[in-house]
Every structure is written in structure tokens, then in C-alpha cells.
Amino acid sequence: MAGLQAYKAVWKGGAALAGLAALAACLPVSQPESLVPQPRPAVPQPAVYKPSADSAQLAYYYNALQRDLLTRGLLRTDGGGPDTPYDAEDLAESFEALAFYDEYGGSGISGGLGRWAGPVRIAAEFGPSVPAARRAEDRETLSAYAARLARITGHPVATVAARGNFHVIFASLDDSAFVAERVRELLPSISARDLSLLAAPPRSFYCLVVAGGPQSDPLSYTRGVALIRAEHPDLVRRSCVHEEVAQGLGLRNDSPRARPSIFNDDDEFALLTSFDEKLLQMLYDPRLTTGMSAEEARPIIRILAREAMGQEL
């Protein structure tokens, strides 16, 4: 979709496979297994903050873009309805495309199933430009969404005040120095080029996420970092939270055939749908195992999809 694009990467074998939705690039973010980033004190907000001209222009652009999308019937929040029917075959097909494939260099690359082995502890962090009232709203959104994801997956997912392993950073363009410093702390082996991309992404990238595990077991996720632009209006901001956190759980790709779904570049849906809930439920089913190939998982996926649709086997 012109204008709105997301960047996702998944750590794999010491490097990240990028371009899962829109970008073909490589983000080397291998992590020493013993490295656990320490919590940092809350970043104070200046008494008086005036956005720079560039940040103000971004906010104007994203507000106009949200209005345009809504006018065209996109960014739906209804979760799907009679106009978006799907069956078990649709679920199985989309699950395989989203959980096992990475778009890299314009061609699909099959990989193993990746997901979190241990609890997901989501920590919200904010750039200095984000006002206190906005921070409170973002924390509330993230907390409610984490609780929903825990219910859907049956996996421990919750927000924490400190010592998180999935950091969601809300920051504006004016917070680039803060983001660069924080990402360098969380991902010390990141390249200068890719650090710059995370700290000050192009306008066409409206949210970003990287997630994965240590070099010895890259598909068993232990850390994630997401960036949500503070210039976004409310709905696009919530949409970024929904998509990036869910993709950071392991549904790392996008597919034009996934519908109704947020894992689709057409921006038809802003928030997690009933279809997406079933996909996440399948992802964390114990009958699937981390590292399993698509070929190995395919018979189980078909069973899970039929069960999710309430069909008899």
C-alpha cells in the first residue's frame, strides 16, 4: 500500500531476515546468550516541548493518511464480518505463509517455526518528546493487548515495569538520539547502518520490529524490540501496536491472501481480527514445536485449522 509500510526482521542464525512485509534488507542483530540488558530509569519529559518542523510535518502527513484510508473504507476495526468469509483451508494456507516464510530480496525463503519459549515480558519505553498523558494511554493500550494475547495463545504474555524482554519504544523523529542509544544497549552488535534505520526510519516505514533468539537457538525467541512512531494519530498508532507485537510473537511474514487479517499489506484491517486470533492460537499449540519445518508441520497445521474452525476431524 502506497505510503504505509512496515519493517519486520527476525533474528536467525546470528542475522536477521528482513523485508517480511515491505523491505528487502539484512539486519545483523546477533546477541550473546549471556547478555541481558539492564533496565534504565524513566526518561524525563522536558517541561516545554515543541516539535521540530520535520516531526510536525510527519504528524500532519500521518493524520492526513489516516483520514484518507478511513474515507476509502480501510483500517477497519470490526475484526471481519460476512463480507470476509474464511474456512479451515484458508487458515492453514495463511498460517504456513506467515509462520514459515520470509520475504527477502523479493523471493520467499522458507524457515523453521519461530516463537517464544519462555514468558514474554513487554516493557513500554518512551522518547523524551512523548507527553505524560500520551504515555499513560499507550501503556494502557499495550497492557490490555498483552492480556488479550495471553488469553489467545495460552502463553504467558504481560507488560512489566522493568526487566522486559520485548521492548516497545514509542518515540518521535525528534527522539532519534534516544532511540539510537537505547537500541544500541539492547542490540549491541547492530550495525551503524541498521541502527540509523531504527533510530530515524524513512517516512514510508511507520513501525518496525525485530525479534529472535540467541545464535545457538535462533528460532526460540528471547528478545524483541519494536518502534512505534509517536507522530501517528490514535488508530494508526494502535494498529502498529497490534501488528508489530503480534508479529514479534512469531507470525513474521505478511501475505496478500490472509483475510481478514492485519498480516496483509493492504491496510484493510487496523486491529487484530478473529482470523488473526486463530492463527496465534495455532502458533502456540504444543503440537507444533519450535524449529519445525513447514513440511513437518503441514499435517498438524491442517488439524489445528479445522479445530480452530470448530470442525470435526
Side-chain angles (χ1 to χ4, degrees):
M1 210 293 297
L4 285 183
Q5 294 182 349
Y7 174 93
K8 295 104 183 171
V10 175
W11 304 345
K12 184 180 172 95
L17 298 180
L20 304 186
L23 177 67
C26 184
L27 181 60
V29 290
S30 58
Q31 286 285 86
E33 293 185 55
S34 60
L35 182 63
V36 178
Q38 297 300 308
R40 61 183 292 140
V43 177
Q45 181 196 354
V48 178
Y49 166 70
K50 182 179 180 180
S52 68
D54 288 341
S55 180
Q57 186 179 45
L58 269 182
Y60 178 84
Y61 170 79
Y62 289 131
N63 273 276
L65 188 55
Q66 176 176 285
R67 289 195 300 272
D68 177 66
L69 292 170
L70 289 170
T71 299
R72 293 191 282 127
L74 301 176
L75 293 181
R76 292 171 56 177
T77 60
D78 58 8
D83 63 318
T84 58
Y86 59 89
D87 57 23
E89 187 63 29
D90 296 323
L91 268 179
E93 179 181 301
S94 292
F95 182 86
E96 183 171 333
L98 299 175
F100 291 93
Y101 286 85
D102 303 314
E103 292 176 359
Y104 181 74
S107 61
I109 297 178
S110 176
L113 184 76
R115 62 186 182 184
W116 290 75
V120 183
R121 303 185 300 275
I122 302 175
E125 301 192 26
F126 301 92
S129 73
V130 183
R134 180 74 257 188
R135 296 183 190 197
E137 292 176 13
D138 289 334
R139 285 195 181 96
E140 183 177 349
T141 296
L142 198 55
S143 178
Y145 187 50
R148 181 182 175 187
L149 291 173
R151 291 192 299 270
I152 293 167
T153 62
H155 190 79
V157 181
T159 52
V160 295
R163 303 200 67 82
N165 53 17
F166 194 150
H167 300 260
V168 180
I169 303 173
F170 298 84
S172 73
L173 183 63
D174 294 342
D175 298 321
S176 294
F178 161 79
V179 174
E181 179 185 358
R182 189 60 179 134
V183 172
R184 195 181 294 113
E185 291 173 350
L186 295 168
L187 308 174
S189 60
I190 192 170
S191 71
R193 173 184 175 276
D194 295 319
L195 179 64
S196 176
L197 176 64
L198 281 163
R203 186 177 72 172
S204 58
F205 299 158
Y206 66 115
C207 37
L208 306 86
V209 66
V210 293
Q215 289 181 337
S216 62
D217 192 9
L219 293 174
S220 185
Y221 293 2
T222 57
R223 189 151 311 277
V225 178
L227 175 69
I228 311 297
R229 287 186 183 271
E231 289 92 355
H232 284 313
D234 287 347
L235 184 54
V236 172
R237 195 182 185 107
R238 288 174 59 206
S239 179
C240 274
V241 170
H242 275 226
E243 183 172 4
E244 302 312 311
V245 175
Q247 294 216 266
L249 292 184
L251 294 178
R252 60 186 187 254
N253 199 3
D254 284 294
S255 171
R257 301 190 66 176
R259 184 174 187 260
S261 178
I262 59 173
F263 306 119
N264 188 318
D265 287 337
D266 63 6
D267 292 302
E268 181 181 9
F269 290 89
L271 307 178
L272 205 70
T273 68
S274 62
F275 187 85
D276 298 329
E277 289 185 339
K278 292 179 176 65
L279 294 173
L280 286 165
Q281 177 186 331
M282 293 165 62
L283 177 64
Y284 280 87
D285 191 285
R287 284 169 285 184
L288 294 176
T289 58
T290 301
M292 181 179 280
S293 70
E295 291 74 19
E296 294 171 322
R298 196 167 292 131
I300 303 173
I301 292 171
R302 293 195 179 104
I303 293 172
L304 297 179
R306 289 178 64 86
E307 290 180 354
M309 294 298 298
Q311 299 177 6
E312 293 185 4
L313 301 179

